Amino acid sequence: MPIKTLHIGLGPIGAGVVRQVSSRKGFKIVGAVDIDPAKIGMDLGDVCGVGRKLRVKIAGDIAKTIRATKPDVAVLCTSSSLKRVVPEFEAVLKLKVPIVSTTEELAYPVRGNAALAKKIDALAKRARVAVLGTGVNPGFTMDALPIALTGVCESVTAIEVARVQDASIRRLPFQQKIGAGLTREEFAQKVIAGSVRHVGLAESIAMIADAMGWKLDKVTDEIEPKICERETSSQFLTVKPGQVCGIVQDGVGYRKGEAIIKLHMEAYLGAPESFDAVRISGNPALKMMIAGGVHGDVATAAITVNSIPKVLQAAPGLRTMRDMALPSYFGG
Amino acid sequence: MPIKTLHIGLGPIGAGVVRQVSSRKGFKIVGAVDIDPAKIGMDLGDVCGVGRKLRVKIAGDIAKTIRATKPDVAVLCTSSSLKRVVPEFEAVLKLKVPIVSTTEELAYPVRGNAALAKKIDALAKRARVAVLGTGVNPGFTMDALPIALTGVCESVTAIEVARVQDASIRRLPFQQKIGAGLTREEFAQKVIAGSVRHVGLAESIAMIADAMGWKLDKVTDEIEPKICERETSSQFLTVKPGQVCGIVQDGVGYRKGEAIIKLHMEAYLGAPESFDAVRISGNPALKMMIAGGVHGDVATAAITVNSIPKVLQAAPGLRTMRDMALPSYFGG
């Protein structure tokens, strides 16, 4: 019996999820919802670049669509912000449907989101279904993967993760989120406004700290622009020398004044070498490198799809990648 | 409340587990059992090289020790062979105590061990406790870790893992298990007798195949000697040119005639560079490398200890690293 999926949010990531679900065994797409009036009424395959009709008409109302289509699971890709997705979660959980979401702030609830996370946990438990926030980052490269590596350590004193990505192959919203093409001043303003940033370092730090049993006394999350030296372009935009070509972001977790979790991210157009690296200080010390890195857009959609069967097996409540079964590809 | 542990089997790995458990927060060692008459009656700390008395006297009888000490969990490090540990598992499970074991054949039941695995699963379910087989390999570097990496893939067509280790820093039984110091002829005889080999490639292949949903039509496991070119020594032995300094072992899983899982292991005295490498063919393709590798003895004891709190939370029955929560360091 294939797993019946409902897709809520059909931006680039949501569309990527639809493309993967529609091409893998083990799934049947039964419904899709978006708030964009231009998408409502259209065929899901057309909107998501599947290359064929999926014979699923995009709707605007979550509850109505669930009642009409009876999905086994909802995949929710609408916003990075936990606060913004709460009404959508309420609508889905009221009808007792489990959720896999790419909402970054749901990947691991930080202190400021504790009340919202508690609310979602309570709703999920009442509905007797599991809810999971996942993605490649947060959700894997800078948290679940380094945590899994510590599984072979008899002691861990510090964890450093570096993720460097050539952003020119990423989706347009990602390139915008990292400020590509802005002036320094525009970049600084957008950082203050919160529209230029990677959401997730605080979540990844909290996940690592809890997994290690570390009580942190301070967490910082700092953003700097990467300035373009040579003109560089992506499919979507061109950046001139002196303009911003991307972001350098550092998240640090301190315990007793010592930086014991360091997450370093660079994402900019024209990065010469993409990679994901983990360094664990402890015994044994571990130095892991993924040359070429893990492609963010494909991987975020993939880990979301791969998590679907696991969420159906998980205990009710708000789950995280820490307490889910080992990640793995799912091909039906 | 610390977790009360019972330690069964006090060879090098079992002793390593005791050293880690006794030095970490969150545990209290309440009992220890070994079959060696020379160890029975001695203090556990003395036998395991802890550097201090643990005030736990080593006993010879599992059931009696459990009744007297009421452990929360038993750590069982007695044999690679599932068949040989079944009586010990029966004794422990009859008294409803969960088990973490380094028995390699328990890391993932292969077809030939299906009946024994089923028996242990049934015993564990009747006792309402979980049983886990784990270790660094099998249990992590050549199975759980590559499987976890596929969690970010939208497709996987093949998985290759290479583990190369300088065996000169490993324990003596490991150096013997890889044939260091033998002549070619002795090596060949011991391979036939089954005393020179790494146990676990078939288990790792089965774990990967099941995780990927691949039905294999053939699994091979082939052993070759690594011949010493320059005299090389470890703490325990010296190998002369022309003698065997270690093992090269290849496990391959075939589907429709195609080698889709390839596990390559080299472990010999004097290997110039230890590493663990994973290559996943698919989308995204992934190339992971742990420079220096994961030290087998420390890591096997560590993943065993780190699994203890997870086994106490796991569903009853025979579990594997595939369905356990994400591996992680546990420091109490």
Side-chain angles (χ1 to χ4, degrees):
Chain A
M1 287 290 289
I3 298 167
K4 293 184 286 176
T5 61
L6 166 68
H7 299 266
I8 303 171
L10 304 168
I13 292 296
V17 169
V18 167
R19 286 195 298 276
Q20 291 193 25
V21 167
S22 63
S23 68
R24 294 204 211 175
K25 280 183 199 165
F27 298 108
K28 180 176 163 54
I29 298 177
V30 297
V33 175
D34 200 278
I35 52 163
D36 182 354
K39 291 176 183 166
I40 294 171
M42 288 185 70
D43 183 86
L44 184 63
D46 291 337
V47 165
C48 297
V50 174
R52 60 183 168 93
K53 301 258 184 239
L54 290 176
R55 294 167 197 278
V56 171
K57 201 177 269 184
I58 298 168
D61 186 282
I62 292 174
K64 265 193 207 165
T65 308
I66 291 177
R67 286 201 194 92
T69 62
K70 306 204 184 312
D72 296 316
V73 65
V75 183
L76 202 145
C77 309
T78 56
S79 168
S80 299
S81 155
L82 190 50
K83 200 173 167 184
R84 286 186 56 182
V85 299
V86 166
E88 298 160 359
F89 275 75
E90 282 181 321
V92 175
L93 291 174
K94 213 172 268 179
L95 296 170
K96 302 185 194 306
V97 176
I99 301 172
V100 181
S101 173
T102 56
T103 296
E104 282 92 337
E105 289 184 351
L106 194 75
Y108 207 82
V110 296
R111 215 168 297 167
N113 285 326
L116 291 174
K118 213 168 172 180
K119 183 174 181 178
I120 290 173
D121 184 54
L123 288 169
K125 281 182 176 143
R126 200 175 312 149
R128 297 176 179 276
V129 297
V131 170
L132 175 70
T134 192
V136 70
N137 181 30
F140 192 75
T141 52
M142 300 188 96
D143 40 47
L145 180 56
I147 288 169
L149 289 170
T150 68
V152 293
C153 295
E154 76 160 309
S155 65
V156 180
T157 54
I159 295 179
E160 287 170 72
V161 187
R163 178 163 167 82
V164 174
Q165 296 171 84
D166 177 6
S168 59
I169 56 167
R170 297 291 302 270
R171 65 191 194 276
L172 179 59
F174 182 86
Q175 294 181 12
Q176 291 167 332
K177 211 172 62 174
I178 60 168
L182 302 180
T183 64
R184 278 173 186 272
E185 294 69 31
E186 289 166 342
F187 184 93
Q189 283 161 9
K190 295 211 172 197
V191 167
I192 290 166
S195 61
V196 160
R197 61 168 184 151
H198 163 73
V199 179
L201 293 189
E203 283 71 16
S204 294
I205 289 171
M207 196 193 302
I208 292 173
D210 283 357
M212 297 303 107
W214 292 342
K215 287 231 158 67
L216 301 179
D217 34 53
K218 192 173 75 174
V219 174
T220 58
D221 187 348
E222 289 179 358
I223 298 172
E224 292 292 331
K226 182 89 181 175
I227 304 301
C228 178
E229 289 171 12
R230 282 191 305 191
E231 181 168 309
T232 176
S233 351
S234 72
Q235 184 189 343
F236 308 110
L237 44 82
T238 297
V239 181
K240 294 197 189 310
Q243 287 184 325
V244 174
C245 57
I247 198 170
V248 178
Q249 192 163 343
D250 283 279
V252 182
Y254 295 85
R255 188 176 60 163
K256 295 173 188 165
E258 196 195 344
I260 54 171
I261 303 173
K262 291 188 197 174
L263 309 185
H264 176 75
M265 237 192 76
E266 299 183 17
Y268 60 97
L269 301 194
E273 189 201 6
S274 297
F275 65 85
D276 282 288
V278 175
R279 182 188 293 262
I280 292 165
S281 304
N283 188 34
L286 295 174
K287 238 173 73 180
M288 189 224 69
M289 164 76 97
I290 299 176
V294 181
H295 187 294
D297 295 332
V298 175
T300 282
I303 197 166
T304 303
V305 177
N306 291 332
S307 298
I308 291 173
K310 295 179 197 288
V311 163
L312 297 182
Q313 299 289 327
L318 176 54
R319 304 264 69 83
T320 72
M321 292 303 283
R322 267 188 73 199
D323 48 14
M324 294 290 291
L326 194 72
S328 60
Y329 167 72
F330 174 73
Chain B
M1 285 289 290
I3 299 167
K4 292 185 286 174
T5 61
L6 165 69
H7 299 266
I8 303 171
L10 303 168
I13 292 296
V17 169
V18 167
R19 286 195 299 276
Q20 291 193 24
V21 167
S22 63
S23 68
R24 294 204 212 174
K25 281 183 199 163
F27 297 109
K28 180 179 164 52
I29 299 177
V30 296
V33 174
D34 200 278
I35 52 164
D36 182 355
K39 290 178 183 165
I40 294 171
M42 287 185 70
D43 183 85
L44 184 63
D46 291 337
V47 166
C48 297
V50 173
R52 59 183 168 93
K53 301 256 184 243
L54 289 176
R55 294 167 197 277
V56 171
K57 201 177 268 185
I58 297 168
D61 187 281
I62 292 174
K64 266 192 207 164
T65 309
I66 290 177
R67 285 200 194 91
T69 63
K70 306 206 183 312
D72 296 318
V73 65
V75 183
L76 203 144
C77 309
T78 55
S79 168
S80 299
S81 154
L82 190 49
K83 201 174 167 182
R84 286 186 57 184
V85 299
V86 166
E88 298 161 359
F89 274 75
E90 282 181 321
V92 175
L93 291 174
K94 212 171 267 179
L95 295 170
K96 302 186 191 308
V97 176
I99 301 173
V100 181
S101 173
T102 55
T103 296
E104 282 92 335
E105 289 183 354
L106 194 75
Y108 206 83
V110 296
R111 214 168 296 168
N113 285 326
L116 290 174
K118 214 170 170 177
K119 183 174 180 177
I120 289 173
D121 184 54
L123 288 169
K125 281 183 176 144
R126 198 175 314 148
R128 297 175 179 276
V129 298
V131 170
L132 175 71
T134 192
V136 70
N137 181 32
F140 192 76
T141 52
M142 299 188 97
D143 41 46
L145 180 57
I147 287 169
L149 289 170
T150 68
V152 293
C153 294
E154 77 159 309
S155 66
V156 180
T157 54
I159 296 179
E160 288 171 73
V161 187
R163 177 163 168 84
V164 174
Q165 297 172 83
D166 177 6
S168 58
I169 55 166
R170 297 291 301 269
R171 66 192 194 275
L172 178 59
F174 183 86
Q175 294 181 13
Q176 291 167 333
K177 209 172 63 174
I178 61 168
L182 302 180
T183 64
R184 277 173 185 274
E185 294 68 29
E186 290 166 341
F187 184 94
Q189 282 160 11
K190 295 212 172 196
V191 167
I192 290 166
S195 61
V196 160
R197 61 169 183 150
H198 163 75
V199 179
L201 293 189
E203 284 72 15
S204 294
I205 289 171
M207 197 193 300
I208 292 173
D210 284 356
M212 297 302 108
W214 292 342
K215 288 232 159 67
L216 301 179
D217 33 53
K218 191 173 74 172
V219 174
T220 58
D221 187 349
E222 290 179 357
I223 298 172
E224 292 292 330
K226 182 89 181 176
I227 304 301
C228 178
E229 289 172 11
R230 283 191 303 191
E231 181 168 308
T232 177
S233 351
S234 72
Q235 185 190 342
F236 309 109
L237 44 82
T238 296
V239 181
K240 294 196 188 314
Q243 288 185 326
V244 174
C245 56
I247 199 170
V248 177
Q249 192 163 343
D250 282 279
V252 182
Y254 295 85
R255 189 175 62 163
K256 295 173 189 166
E258 196 194 344
I260 54 170
I261 303 174
K262 292 189 197 174
L263 309 185
H264 176 75
M265 237 191 75
E266 300 183 18
Y268 60 97
L269 301 193
E273 190 201 4
S274 297
F275 65 84
D276 282 288
V278 175
R279 183 188 291 262
I280 292 165
S281 304
N283 189 33
L286 295 174
K287 239 174 74 182
M288 188 225 68
M289 164 77 96
I290 298 176
V294 181
H295 187 295
D297 296 331
V298 175
T300 282
I303 197 166
T304 303
V305 177
N306 291 332
S307 297
I308 292 173
K310 295 179 197 289
V311 163
L312 297 183
Q313 300 288 329
L318 176 54
R319 303 264 69 85
T320 73
M321 292 303 283
R322 265 188 74 199
D323 48 14
M324 294 290 290
L326 193 73
S328 61
Y329 167 72
F330 173 73

